[in-house]
Amino acid sequence: AQTVTQSQPEMSVQEAETVTLSCTYDTSESDYYLFWYKQPPSRQMILVIRQEAYKQQNATENRFSVNFQKAAKSFSLKISDSQLGDAAMYFCAYRSLTGNQFYFGTGTSLTVIP
Amino acid sequence: DSGVTQTPKHLITATGQRVTLRCSPRSGDLSVYWYQQSLDQGLQFLIQYYNGEERAKGNILERFSAQQFPDLHSELNLSSLELGDSALYFCASRREASTDTQYFGPGTRLTVL
């Protein structure tokens, strides 16, 4: 089974600063999808951003962007101009092109300091 | 609002009891996933259904079962409940197009006393 590793259980960032959350994964497949989900205190799981492995261009959604390094099997999330509302648990997830199951990391808890 | 609905929002019950959690997927989504998230834990994949058929199975206990009905809503049945079953149970749905991700419902918080 594929594994997804988030090595930072907790991170903190000053409001308006930039923070990067790390994610690595293990797969033998060449085509797959990667996702970042946000889980705020409400516990709702919210899709933040997704990346198709066949696309070399890094995905961007407003203040959120990824650094996708396919050879290194790395998929980090950069949050620019951090806001108090960004405080949440962030989960990285993987799905193969043809697979049904999503594999999640253990999450990184992000604190935003005013 | 993701379009995925789950009922009930909260459920409190006693050990040894049986409960049913319900999920309605987004309109047009054929696939339903169930996850368990214990306190301060990641998401544990339980089971997936696609158009009424079981498609993938994860770490689902034998005391747990699920099904998906012709109208595509799904139910997760938890029986002989134990204290350790207390968790947040999420349902997610997906359209099954190769590029589509899954969208999560708000979850059902189960407390077993």
Side-chain angles (χ1 to χ4, degrees):
Chain A
Q2 282 75 13
T3 57
V4 178
T5 302
Q6 293 179 251
S7 58
Q8 306 154 314
E10 297 178 349
M11 291 281 286
S12 62
V13 61
Q14 289 286 143
E15 194 174 2
E17 296 296 310
T18 295
V19 64
T20 299
L21 308 184
S22 301
C23 172
T24 59
Y25 55 94
D26 182 26
T27 184
S28 57
E29 303 188 40
S30 58
D31 289 324
Y32 46 87
Y33 302 95
L34 296 163
F35 309 87
W36 279 99
Y37 281 90
K38 169 185 176 182
Q39 187 178 40
S42 67
R43 305 302 294 270
Q44 171 79 52
M45 292 287 288
I46 302 165
L47 176 67
V48 175
I49 199 166
R50 69 180 177 212
Q51 173 83 40
E52 292 91 341
Y54 61 85
K55 289 187 178 178
Q56 293 189 341
Q57 187 172 5
N58 289 324
T60 299
E61 288 287 341
N62 300 315
R63 298 182 294 107
F64 298 86
S65 61
V66 300
N67 183 5
F68 173 48
Q69 302 289 327
K70 191 172 184 179
K73 297 180 182 175
S74 170
F75 182 60
S76 60
L77 175 69
K78 186 171 84 171
I79 306 174
S80 304
D81 185 25
S82 296
Q83 300 175 359
L84 296 178
D86 294 334
M89 182 73 84
Y90 287 82
F91 291 96
C92 177
Y94 165 101
R95 180 176 77 82
S96 71
L97 182 67
T98 56
N100 297 303
Q101 189 170 340
F102 288 72
Y103 297 88
F104 284 82
T106 51
T108 296
S109 178
L110 178 67
T111 300
V112 180
I113 303 166
Chain B
D1 185 359
S2 67
V4 180
T5 61
Q6 288 187 249
T7 57
K9 280 190 176 179
H10 302 277
L11 198 50
I12 301 174
T13 188
T15 54
Q17 295 298 305
R18 172 190 168 96
V19 297
T20 297
L21 312 183
R22 182 189 169 103
C23 167
S24 293
R26 294 186 315 161
S27 177
D29 287 2
L30 300 179
S31 205
V32 169
Y33 297 76
W34 285 99
Y35 293 90
Q36 179 193 56
Q37 186 180 33
S38 301
L39 189 63
D40 295 329
Q41 297 292 313
L43 287 162
Q44 295 293 320
F45 169 68
L46 296 177
I47 198 164
Q48 181 212 358
Y49 278 82
Y50 172 74
N51 204 19
E53 300 283 332
E54 182 183 305
R55 178 67 73 88
K57 212 167 190 176
N59 300 320
I60 187 167
L61 300 172
E62 285 191 12
R63 300 183 286 108
F64 296 1
S65 65
Q67 55 184 328
Q68 187 179 26
F69 295 86
D71 67 352
L72 301 177
H73 90 272
S74 178
E75 292 181 356
L76 179 66
N77 300 296
L78 315 177
S79 61
S80 303
L81 285 167
E82 302 175 358
L83 295 177
D85 297 328
S86 295
L88 192 55
Y89 290 84
F90 284 106
C91 164
S93 73
R94 185 165 78 95
R95 194 141 293 171
E96 285 300 306
S98 62
T99 56
D100 270 4
T101 187
Q102 56 184 336
Y103 293 88
F104 283 81
T108 291
R109 179 168 295 284
L110 173 66
T111 302
V112 182
L113 301 175

